[in-house]
Amino acid sequence: MKTKDSFVLRDVCGEKVLVAEGLENIDYSKIINLNETAAYLWENVEGSEFEVEDLAALLIKKYDVPEDVALVDCKQLAQKWQEAGLLD
């Protein structure tokens, strides 16, 4: 997986929001609001190839959660990102 380069994480009034930039996204009508954890993960994988296991390792490192919980949560997050069109 890889995050699409056309989405940029911005801080808008204290909220982390993914903003679609570029002509290819002119018809993109969604606003993606990320919570603190999802924003942390996005910032750490933005623009690079990654797997669900990489996201889970980041969660474990920062939040000290059990590996099985981190994997399930990150799999669900990656699926949501994919469904929203945020990943290549």
Side-chain angles (χ1 to χ4, degrees):
M1 289 178 274
K2 184 177 182 228
T3 60
K4 286 188 177 178
D5 293 333
S6 56
F7 288 92
V8 179
L9 186 63
R10 303 266 189 224
D11 190 323
V12 179
C13 298
E15 297 290 325
K16 297 290 186 176
V17 178
L18 284 174
V19 177
E21 295 183 340
L23 292 176
E24 68 275 6
N25 288 312
I26 201 156
D27 292 329
Y28 194 83
S29 61
K30 295 179 186 174
I31 295 174
I32 307 296
N33 186 8
L34 300 180
N35 66 22
E36 181 182 331
T37 304
Y40 163 75
L41 293 174
W42 183 273
E43 289 172 328
N44 280 276
V45 299
E46 187 173 14
S48 61
E49 294 284 334
F50 66 93
E51 300 296 330
V52 170
E53 293 80 8
D54 300 321
L55 295 176
L58 288 165
L59 272 187
I60 292 165
K61 181 179 173 183
K62 182 165 176 108
Y63 296 104
D64 194 32
V65 298
E67 183 177 1
D68 58 330
V69 172
L71 281 170
V72 169
D73 289 350
C74 290
K75 188 174 186 178
Q76 291 173 351
L77 178 63
Q79 182 177 353
K80 288 179 182 180
W81 284 356
Q82 187 70 44
E83 290 168 0
L86 304 175
L87 303 177
D88 283 329

